[in-house]
Amino acid sequence: MATTSKQDRRSPLGYTVLIVAALLTLVPFVYAVLGSLKTSGQISTNPLGLPDPWVWENYAAVLGGDVFWRPLLNSVLVGLLTVLIVLICGTLATFALSRFTFRGRESVYAFFTLGLLFPAAVAILPLYLMLRELDLLNTPLGVALPQAAFALPVTVVILRPFFQSIPQELEEAAAMDGAGPMRFFLRILLPMSVPVLITVSILALVTSWNGYLLPLLILTDPESWTIPLGLSRFAGSYTYDTARVLAYSVVAMVPTVLAYGVAERYIVQGLTAGAVKG
């Protein structure tokens, strides 16, 4: 009873913090949506009010031309490639680091965790030279490869506790039925890891979608630009039309918001799976 009373006393403060955090997250998004439905004059004279009238032509101007669809397709392609590389390399590396015992295993894992502290900016010049030598400039793979490399540390850190929590007896039972390590990995481990795999996929997709520095350096051809570069170009073309720039920003956010909304339940499960098992 004493514990329950203590939790009840904490709950108003906890709810207040949650409401403030939710407002801090939602206010910029709501401001962008409302601003995208105004004229630039309305934004200047009444930045916090409702649109009057509602200007849907801003969205028609964005969606009616190639200025949005080409970067969208490029971002989708780069994002899918990044997620695919992260899943293949991340799951195989984590499988070896979590289910096999070999000399230097913890050192290799520590090497991956050190990657969390390694900012992409310091590797820009070597990356550019390497990709130029590989003739991958202005290609989706040229952006996806380094993005996947920078996403691998967090992928391994999230996957390893879950892979380790799978009982050893399950692997031994599979071995008695004739399943080797790769069959156990493909037929048993991966299907059991779907929530965690969705989590790392969404994290890699969002990071790829919002990436600006790497695409700016690698994609010099405007035809290969991704959404962030397309938004930068659009903002430069409509410097004095803030409403249309906000409309572009809103539609650019829609794919990742939808992906996160659909997978939100699995993301929470995936982040906590390794902590509650075993």
Side-chain angles (χ1 to χ4, degrees):
M1 292 296 290
T3 304
T4 303
S5 301
K6 190 175 182 180
Q7 289 176 344
D8 290 342
R9 287 197 299 273
R10 288 178 177 177
S11 59
L13 176 60
Y15 280 116
T16 302
V17 172
L18 287 175
I19 292 172
V20 171
L23 289 176
L24 289 175
T25 305
L26 287 175
V27 164
F29 182 73
V30 173
Y31 177 82
V33 172
L34 293 179
S36 67
L37 294 170
K38 299 176 181 177
T39 62
S40 295
Q42 291 180 40
I43 294 176
S44 300
T45 56
N46 187 20
L48 300 180
L50 292 174
D52 184 25
W54 297 70
V55 185
W56 297 98
E57 289 78 7
N58 293 329
Y59 285 95
V62 173
L63 300 175
D66 199 42
V67 68
F68 173 74
W69 296 108
R70 170 66 70 176
L72 175 69
L73 292 175
N74 292 333
S75 283
V76 169
L77 183 57
V78 170
L80 292 178
L81 280 174
T82 302
V83 171
L84 184 63
I85 296 170
V86 165
L87 286 180
I88 293 174
C89 298
T91 53
L92 287 173
T94 309
F95 180 54
L97 290 172
S98 59
R99 308 299 297 190
F100 292 91
T101 302
F102 56 88
R103 190 174 183 179
R105 184 180 73 168
E106 295 306 316
S107 299
V108 174
Y109 179 66
F111 181 76
F112 273 104
T113 57
L114 285 176
L116 295 172
L117 309 175
F118 195 67
V122 301
I124 283 297
L125 183 57
L127 270 176
Y128 177 81
L129 297 176
M130 186 184 306
L131 293 170
R132 188 180 65 181
E133 291 299 318
L134 295 173
D135 198 22
L136 289 176
L137 297 180
N138 289 315
T139 65
L141 188 60
V143 182
L145 277 175
Q147 286 186 157
F150 284 106
L152 276 180
V154 69
T155 302
V156 172
V157 168
I158 291 176
L159 288 180
R160 196 189 191 209
F162 183 83
F163 281 13
Q164 286 180 324
S165 70
I166 303 297
Q168 188 68 28
E169 291 79 6
L170 190 62
E171 187 174 354
E172 292 172 355
M176 293 178 65
D177 290 335
M182 284 310 296
R183 180 172 293 183
F184 169 76
F185 172 71
L186 294 172
R187 298 289 183 86
I188 299 176
L189 192 61
L190 288 186
M192 293 179 67
S193 309
V194 169
V196 195
L197 297 180
I198 292 177
T199 299
V200 297
S201 299
I202 293 297
L203 292 177
L205 178 64
V206 172
T207 303
S208 169
W209 195 268
N210 295 327
Y212 181 80
L213 186 58
L214 279 173
L216 178 65
L217 183 74
I218 297 168
L219 305 176
T220 56
D221 182 2
E223 291 296 314
S224 62
W225 282 1
T226 54
I227 282 288
L229 299 181
L231 175 60
S232 176
R233 180 186 183 186
F234 188 82
S237 302
Y238 293 89
T239 305
Y240 300 103
D241 197 342
T242 308
R244 289 194 179 186
V245 175
L246 289 175
Y248 195 112
S249 302
V250 171
V251 294
M253 286 189 286
V254 169
T256 50
V257 171
L258 287 177
Y260 183 84
V262 171
E264 183 270 340
R265 180 165 58 92
Y266 298 101
I267 293 174
V268 175
Q269 291 178 2
L271 289 175
T272 58
V276 299
K277 285 198 171 188

